[in-house]
């Protein structure tokens, strides 16, 4: 290796082991970060491919020797970045000027000598390298600059390297880079360009992806978010593929647990590989259907990458003196099987937000759904659609329109910044369109598959990312509100204010509303949205497959359970991951998970459900809740729930999960459920496991003292308690006018069970709908001394204020 000890400001070449993050002025953010990691983190197990940086000094040296700086200034003298034609013409002229300039012989010689040293380091004559640009203003806290310049992969030999370097230098003046600098108010000549020459990782023979040390959508800080696809990483970065996605929970990962709380398979239809053509050193080829249906990396590899993300984030945070989430690119070498980090930069969206201001977009009406994909952010936007399939047509785009396209890359950025929303066919949450739309603060729906077919230019659209992970494109302009709350102004209460959670995808965002944990997490939502299949249809998959009449059911099961040979394990994993997402979002605060409480008609609607469910005249008071768990006709399915709970608490380390048994008619039923859970490794009291019972049947109130003997507490289900107290079917419109949780009979029962629980030293809360709907009912519960009230997320803040005022009036202070 070439060793340099003099002032870095005078050097044309610096090796990674000579660089640190403080060297951005010399080698740009990308190279400075690679050097920082290579020097400081390789000893901690993080693998970084070696390489060297051609410094910004070299770039300025070329401009000086070639005498082209004044010419570039002249070309840009009448630049107008809002005029696409003006921008494109001037950008091309500047690039051509740089490409025609000669690299001085002394610089060329030093580049080739350094490349030769790198080849020797890896024991080959002409090693393959990535040639990446690294601007000196890159990766600053308020401007990522990522992807503004060019990257060249699989470059071999001195001659190809020099050509790639010239193209890199010229790419400081791509149209998108010029436009971006103008937007960020950077002077074109105050920025230099360094080039990173780094040993390639043979991910063309394996996999690669992008990784963030926070959740990209909500900014939730306790997870690592990883994407993965086959081949070189450019396809993931640019959004050419829909990759696999994985979430890992950081706090328990650091304790030695294996908390992969979400795994989802992406389509991964193409992969980028090497060619032998020096003019086109990479190409895309199809991925086999078999590989598309497999996870791209193993669980051990997911955990290794997540640990590295934590190591990198911790290092940069310590160095900065404050929390510093990171955006990383990784690659797996198909020849050695080793994983590597090939880039790392600071995350530039959520790290800059004021997290004390909670902004919520609320759609006030709906219309026909045109297409759906993955939501980026949580905003809503509307405008006239402009379907553009080729980047050369971006000059036709007007400010305020909705950009609809197949995918974007940095060349699209001049129009992305003036769009009201973006919709793409391809891409995942770490693709180019996703990253830029977050930075711009506009709604974006990626991976729709058919957006450019279903949407016509000129059509008015509303693009909503306000409904969790699913981004929806509606027909027409719809009304929506934007609500803002300063969380610092929300008072604390003595009564615990918990939240009712439905879908796991919304848990990260909902956890940011002031709360004391989860009072009700419903398994039914996870089963309906993530599993969709009756558990017995998965357990008896091989049996029902034998009957030709079940062909359609089997086809649906096979489509949903892609990647799982063991269908039983699919149910366990998906249920565990759904529970895990919710528990992780609120960790270490309690997350009370209610065991499944589908009625027979609801179970029948699951795939394969009709093969196993009876037809009941009144399923609302039929075979549901605890009565199923010990029944031989369903017990085998219930044991999958026990396995999922066990996985969440033991493997994920999320011991904040508590269990709640629904619709437990008798104390004997309660004992049977407790016994079955214990026999299958879910033991009350183990690692602090608490077991609650829903109080939703008058018998639960009348025999509250006996239920206290076997359970740790109660959660009042006011919906069913009202139904059964007043003797009405809450699904019937005919008697709906009688249904009222504030009926005195219901309140007397609630008053009674709170009194009994208090006397017996047991916890008691409520998770029913009533306190969310009626502030006066919440005040009644406070008067009676209830321990906790679990509310729908959208009512927490206003109800908390009401409860605080009531507590003040009662002379209770937190």
């Amino acid at each position: 290796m070439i060793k340099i000890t003099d002032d870095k400001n005078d050097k044309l070449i610096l090796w990674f082991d000579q660089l640190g993050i403080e060297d951005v002025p010399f080698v740009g953010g990308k190279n400075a970060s690679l050097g920082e990691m290579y020097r400081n983190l390789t000893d901690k197990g993080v693998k970084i491919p070696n390489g060297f940086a051609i410094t910004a000094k070299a770039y300025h040296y070329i401009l000086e020797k070639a005498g082209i700086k004044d010419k570039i200034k002249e070309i840009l003298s009448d630049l107008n970045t809002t005029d696409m034609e003006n921008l494109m013409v001037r950008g091309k002229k500047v690039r051509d000027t740089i490409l025609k300039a000669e690299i001085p012989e002394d610089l060329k010689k030093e580049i080739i000598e350094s490349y030769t040293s790198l080849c020797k380091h890896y024991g080959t004559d002409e090693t393959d390298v990535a040639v990446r640009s690294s601007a000196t203003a890159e990766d600053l806290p308020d401007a990522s600059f990522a992807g503004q310049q060019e990257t060249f992969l699989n470059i071999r030999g001195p001659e190809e390297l020099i050509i790639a370097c010239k193209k890199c230098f010229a790419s400081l003046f791509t149209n998108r880079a010029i436009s971006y600098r103008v937007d960020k108010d950077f002077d074109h000549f105050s920025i230099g360009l360094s080039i990173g020459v780094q040993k390639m990782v043979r991910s063309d023979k394996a996999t690669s992806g992008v990784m963030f040390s926070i959740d990209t959508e909500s900014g939730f800080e306790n997870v690592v978010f990883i994407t993965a696809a086959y081949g070189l990483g450019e396809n993931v970065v640019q959004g050419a593929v829909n990759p696999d996605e994985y979430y890992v929970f950081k706090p328990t990962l650091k304790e030695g647990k294996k908390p992969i709380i979400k795994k989802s398979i992406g389509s991964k239809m193409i992969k980028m590989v090497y060619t032998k053509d020096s003019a086109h050193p990479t190409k895309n080829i199809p991925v086999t259907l078999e590989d598309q249906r497999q996870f791209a990396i193993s669980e051990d590899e997911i955990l290794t990458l997540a640990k590295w993300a934590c190591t990198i984030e911790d290092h940069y945070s310590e160095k900065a003196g404050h929390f510093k989430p990171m955006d990383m690119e990784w690659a797996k070498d198909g020849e050695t099987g080793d994983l590597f980090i090939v880039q790392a930069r600071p995350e530039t969206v959520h790290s800059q937000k004021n997290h004390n201001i909670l902004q919520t977009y609320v759609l006030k009406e709906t219309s026909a759904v045109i297409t759906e994909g993955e939501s980026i952010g949580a905003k809503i936007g509307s405008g006239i659609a402009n379907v553009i399939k080729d980047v050369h047509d971006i000059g036709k785009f007007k400010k305020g329109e909705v950009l609809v396209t197949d995918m974007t890359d940095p060349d699209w950025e001049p129009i992305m910044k003036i769009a009201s929303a973006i919709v793409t066919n391809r891409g995942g949450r770490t693709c180019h369109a996703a990253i830029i739309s977050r930075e711009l603060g506009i709604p974006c729906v990626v991976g729709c598959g058919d957006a450019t077919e279903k949407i016509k230019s000129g059509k008015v659209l509303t693009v909503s990312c306000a409904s969790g992970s699913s981004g929806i494109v509606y027909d027409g302009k719809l009304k929506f509100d934007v609500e803002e709350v300063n969380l610092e102004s929300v008072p604390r209460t003595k009564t615990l204010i918990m939240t009712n959670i439905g879908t796991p995808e919304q848990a990260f965002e909902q956890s940011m509303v002031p709360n004391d944990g989860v009072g009700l997490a419903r398994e039914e939502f996870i089963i309906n949205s993530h599993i969709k299949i009756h558990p017995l249809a998965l357990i008896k998959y091989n049996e029902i497959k034998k009957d030709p009449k079940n062909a359609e059911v089997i086809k649906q099961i096979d489509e949903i359970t892609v990647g799982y040979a063991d269908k039983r394990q699919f149910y366990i994993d998906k249920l565990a991951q759904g529970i895990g997402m919710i528990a992780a979002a609120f960790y270490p605060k309690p997350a009370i998970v209610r065991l499944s409480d589908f009625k027979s008609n609801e179970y029948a609607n699951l795939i394969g459900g009709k093969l196993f469910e009876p037809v009941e005249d009144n399923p609302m008071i039929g075979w549901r809740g605890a009565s199923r768990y010990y029944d031989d006709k369903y017990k085998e399915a219930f044991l999958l729930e026990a396995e999922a709970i066990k996985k969440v608490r033991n493997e994920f380390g999320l011991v904040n999960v508590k269990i709640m048994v629904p619709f437990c008619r008798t104390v004997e039923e309660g004992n049977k459920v407790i016994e079955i859970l214990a026999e299958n490794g879910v033991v009350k009291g183990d690692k602090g496991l608490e077991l609650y019972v829903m109080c939703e049947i008058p018998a639960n109130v009348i025999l509250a003292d006996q239920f206290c003997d076997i359970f740790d507490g109660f959660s009042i289900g006011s919906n069913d308690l009202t139904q059964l107290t007043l003797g009405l079917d809450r699904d019937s419109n005919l008697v709906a006018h009688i249904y009222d949780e504030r009926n005195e009979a219901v309140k007397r029962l609630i008053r009674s069970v709170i009194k009994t629980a208090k006397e017996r030293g047991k916890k008691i809360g409520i998770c029913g709908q009533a306190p969310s709907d009626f502030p006066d009912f919440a005040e009644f519960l406070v008067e009676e001394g209830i321990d906790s009230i679990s509310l729908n997320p959208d009512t927490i803040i206003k109800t908390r204020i009401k409860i605080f005022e009531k507590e003040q009036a009662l002379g209770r202070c937190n």
Side-chain angles (χ1 to χ4, degrees):
M1 295 291 173
I2 297 174
K3 292 294 178 184
I4 302 171
T5 57
D6 297 336
D7 184 357
K8 293 176 183 177
N9 194 43
D10 294 329
K11 302 304 172 185
L12 301 178
I13 303 286
L14 288 167
W15 287 84
F16 288 171
D17 63 5
Q18 298 168 306
L19 294 172
I21 199 62
E22 65 279 357
D23 293 321
V24 171
F26 311 117
V27 296
K30 194 174 297 173
N31 287 334
S33 186
L34 284 169
E36 180 72 23
M37 292 190 294
Y38 192 85
R39 284 171 58 187
N40 296 291
L41 300 182
T42 50
D43 288 345
K44 295 183 179 180
V46 180
K47 294 181 180 178
I48 317 290
N50 199 8
F52 58 89
I54 302 167
T55 68
K57 170 79 173 177
Y59 163 75
H60 292 297
Y61 182 47
I62 293 172
L63 296 191
E64 178 191 331
K65 279 286 189 180
I68 58 175
K69 188 173 182 179
D70 288 340
K71 185 176 180 182
I72 295 172
K73 283 185 176 179
E74 184 184 338
I75 294 169
L76 298 177
S77 61
D78 61 346
L79 173 69
N80 179 3
T81 57
T82 62
D83 180 337
M84 294 299 117
E85 184 67 22
N86 175 292
L87 175 62
M88 286 189 283
V89 169
R90 276 141 194 81
K92 186 175 187 308
K93 282 185 179 179
V94 174
R95 292 192 297 275
D96 287 346
T97 299
I98 295 172
L99 287 170
K100 288 173 185 173
E102 286 297 323
I103 294 180
E105 283 302 317
D106 56 340
L107 173 58
K108 189 184 295 186
K109 180 182 178 185
E110 197 166 342
I111 293 171
I112 293 170
E113 284 178 354
S114 298
Y115 173 71
T116 302
S117 293
L118 186 65
C119 293
K120 287 179 181 176
H121 178 73
Y122 283 100
T124 179
D125 292 335
E126 287 191 349
T127 195
D128 49 334
V129 293
V131 180
R132 291 189 171 96
S133 55
S134 179
T136 55
E138 196 173 43
D139 300 337
L140 298 179
D142 62 343
S144 75
F145 279 80
Q148 296 301 319
Q149 287 81 41
E150 300 290 358
T151 291
F152 301 92
L153 305 177
N154 188 23
I155 301 301
R156 294 173 182 269
E159 195 173 311
E160 285 184 32
L161 176 59
I162 295 300
I163 293 169
C165 286
K166 287 188 73 173
K167 290 179 179 177
C168 252
F169 283 130
S171 75
L172 186 59
F173 289 92
T174 57
N175 301 339
R176 73 232 182 196
I178 295 170
S179 175
Y180 195 86
R181 285 196 293 273
V182 169
D183 288 347
K184 294 293 182 180
D185 200 26
F186 281 92
D187 177 73
H188 296 295
F189 297 96
S190 67
I191 293 172
L193 188 82
S194 170
I195 295 173
V197 180
Q198 184 181 31
K199 174 70 176 78
M200 284 282 289
V201 176
R202 292 304 303 267
S203 57
D204 62 307
K205 295 183 175 182
T207 54
S208 59
V210 175
M211 173 165 72
F212 284 81
S213 63
I214 59 170
D215 176 42
T216 54
E217 303 316 304
S218 65
F220 181 67
E221 296 176 358
N222 279 341
V223 288
V224 175
F225 175 54
I226 303 168
T227 62
Y230 299 113
L232 301 175
E234 290 299 293
N235 281 340
V236 178
V237 173
Q238 302 297 351
V241 294
N242 295 334
D244 295 345
E245 295 184 353
Y246 315 103
Y247 279 100
V248 182
F249 185 56
K250 291 191 288 192
T252 57
L253 176 71
K254 293 178 179 180
E255 294 171 0
K257 299 297 183 179
K258 299 179 178 180
I260 303 172
I261 58 173
K262 184 177 181 183
K263 291 173 64 180
S264 61
I265 286 184
S267 54
K268 310 183 295 290
M269 296 178 71
I270 58 172
K271 64 178 177 180
M272 186 177 287
V273 298
Y274 282 11
T275 73
K276 294 181 180 179
D277 180 0
S278 62
H280 302 93
T282 62
K283 67 177 181 180
N284 278 316
I285 62 171
V287 174
T288 66
L289 189 59
E290 182 182 358
D291 282 343
Q292 287 179 43
R293 293 184 168 185
Q294 301 296 322
F295 289 109
I297 52 177
S298 69
E299 292 203 346
D300 284 344
E301 289 168 335
I302 295 168
L303 293 168
T304 295
L305 288 170
K307 287 172 186 173
W308 287 0
C310 292
T311 300
I312 293 167
E313 179 185 78
D314 289 347
H315 174 79
Y316 280 87
S317 296
E318 184 179 350
K319 191 140 189 173
H322 59 82
F323 176 64
K324 201 172 187 69
M326 299 296 289
D327 166 1
M328 296 146 281
E329 293 179 27
W330 64 271
K332 179 182 176 181
D333 195 303
E335 294 180 340
T336 66
D338 292 333
L339 293 167
F340 292 89
I341 299 295
V342 295
Q343 282 193 51
R345 63 181 73 89
E347 190 274 344
T348 58
V349 177
H350 293 290
S351 57
Q352 302 303 306
K353 272 188 178 178
N354 180 355
H355 292 287
N356 288 321
I357 302 298
L358 179 68
Q359 191 180 67
T360 307
Y361 280 67
V362 182
L363 199 61
K364 307 303 287 184
E365 56 185 343
T366 59
S367 64
V369 174
I370 300 175
T371 188
E372 294 184 52
E374 284 195 87
S375 65
I376 305 303
K379 294 186 176 181
I380 301 171
S382 59
I384 297 170
N386 193 334
V387 181
I388 299 181
K389 297 183 179 180
D390 192 297
V391 70
H392 295 101
D393 295 327
I394 64 175
K396 300 174 183 176
F397 192 83
K398 296 182 179 62
K399 185 176 182 179
E401 292 181 331
V402 177
L403 173 61
V404 182
T405 189
D406 182 50
M407 57 176 274
T408 68
D409 60 34
D411 287 329
W412 293 76
E413 287 175 28
I415 64 167
M416 294 172 77
K417 69 185 181 185
I418 59 173
S420 61
I422 297 170
V423 182
T424 71
N425 291 338
R426 294 190 282 166
R429 287 190 214 168
T430 57
C431 74
H432 176 266
I435 289 169
I436 298 304
S437 64
R438 279 189 210 104
E439 188 172 314
L440 294 170
I442 58 175
C444 176
V445 179
V446 299
C448 295
D450 57 7
T452 55
E453 295 173 22
K454 290 196 170 180
I455 299 171
K456 303 299 180 188
S457 289
K459 192 171 190 61
V460 177
L461 308 174
T462 295
V463 180
S464 175
C465 296
S467 302
S469 63
S470 182
I472 305 172
V473 181
Y474 293 99
D475 185 17
K477 186 173 183 177
L478 304 180
K479 295 176 183 175
F480 63 90
D481 289 339
V482 183
E483 301 170 356
E484 278 196 359
V485 176
N486 187 335
L487 299 182
E488 290 181 321
S489 67
V490 179
R492 297 290 303 171
T493 57
K494 186 173 183 181
T495 306
L496 298 179
I497 305 299
M498 306 178 85
T499 184
N500 296 333
I501 290 289
T503 58
E505 290 80 9
Q506 293 180 301
F508 292 162
E509 190 171 340
Q510 290 171 349
S511 72
M512 295 175 187
V513 177
N515 69 81
D516 296 298
V518 178
L520 173 63
R522 301 177 179 92
E523 283 190 6
E524 300 87 70
F525 281 98
I526 301 169
I527 295 166
N528 249 336
S529 59
H530 292 260
I531 298 173
K532 303 177 183 177
I533 305 164
H534 195 288
L536 290 173
L538 293 166
I539 291 169
K540 301 180 184 298
Y541 172 82
N542 291 326
E543 186 180 318
I544 64 174
K545 191 176 182 179
K546 294 173 184 175
D547 189 337
K549 288 187 294 185
N550 299 326
E552 183 58 32
V553 168
I554 292 298
K555 180 185 175 184
Q556 289 177 285
I557 292 174
D558 287 345
E559 287 174 355
I560 292 170
T561 60
V562 162
Y564 280 90
D566 183 347
K567 307 305 178 186
R568 180 180 175 277
Q569 193 63 45
F570 169 81
Y571 191 93
I572 295 167
D573 284 357
K574 291 301 176 186
L575 184 55
Q577 288 163 20
I579 294 169
M581 288 277 281
I582 293 169
F586 292 84
Y587 184 89
K589 292 180 282 191
I592 301 173
V593 177
R594 187 178 71 187
L595 299 171
S596 61
D597 191 27
F598 277 132
K599 292 79 178 173
S600 53
N601 59 324
E602 293 168 337
Y603 265 123
N605 287 331
L606 295 172
I607 294 167
K610 290 183 174 61
L611 299 174
F612 301 99
E613 292 297 323
V615 176
E616 296 185 275
D617 290 335
N618 195 342
M620 185 68 79
I621 54 172
W623 196 37
R624 60 177 286 199
S627 302
R628 280 181 171 263
Y629 305 156
Y630 58 85
D631 192 312
D632 287 340
K633 296 188 293 297
Y634 190 80
K635 180 179 175 181
E636 196 175 0
F638 175 65
L639 296 185
L640 299 186
E641 292 181 44
E643 287 294 324
I645 294 287
K646 197 160 57 175
K647 182 168 187 169
V648 172
R649 286 179 55 85
N650 297 345
E651 185 176 316
F652 297 173
L654 293 165
V655 293
N656 60 322
V657 166
K658 319 293 182 185
I659 300 175
M660 185 154 63
V661 179
F663 224 76
C664 186
R665 293 174 168 98
T666 69
V667 176
E668 290 73 25
E669 276 197 323
N671 275 318
K672 287 179 181 178
V673 173
I674 293 169
E675 187 179 330
I676 289 170
L677 287 170
E679 286 171 356
N680 289 276
V682 182
V683 181
K684 188 163 78 83
D686 180 35
K687 299 190 189 84
L689 176 61
E690 292 178 339
L691 196 58
Y692 301 110
V693 65
M694 289 287 288
C695 178
E696 53 191 341
I697 304 168
N700 301 141
V701 180
I702 296 165
L703 298 179
D705 57 334
Q706 294 182 30
F707 280 101
C708 280
D709 289 338
I710 63 171
F711 288 104
D712 293 303
F714 300 90
S715 184
I716 300 165
S718 57
N719 297 352
D720 273 323
L721 186 60
T722 301
Q723 170 182 238
L724 297 173
T725 300
L726 299 180
L728 54 82
D729 181 351
R730 60 186 170 98
D731 282 349
S732 170
N733 291 330
L734 298 175
V735 290
H737 64 284
I738 304 170
Y739 184 92
D740 188 346
E741 298 98 321
R742 296 168 295 177
N743 182 283
E744 183 58 28
V746 178
K747 290 172 78 172
R748 286 190 184 187
L749 289 176
I750 291 173
R751 186 179 290 118
S752 172
V753 75
I754 292 174
K755 183 173 183 290
T756 302
K758 290 287 188 181
E759 289 172 349
R760 299 294 293 269
K762 299 291 183 175
K763 295 177 182 177
I764 184 157
I766 186 169
C767 62
Q769 186 69 26
S772 291
D773 289 345
F774 309 116
D776 60 322
F777 193 83
E779 291 178 355
F780 156 73
L781 294 168
V782 172
E783 287 177 354
E784 296 304 320
I786 200 162
D787 294 323
S788 65
I789 298 177
S790 194
L791 301 160
N792 296 339
D794 60 344
T795 66
I796 282 181
I797 291 174
K798 67 179 182 182
T799 309
R800 184 186 281 278
I801 293 169
K802 278 282 186 187
I803 289 171
F804 176 77
E805 292 170 350
K806 185 66 175 178
E807 288 180 346
Q808 292 294 95
L810 293 170
R812 298 177 192 166
C813 297
N814 189 22

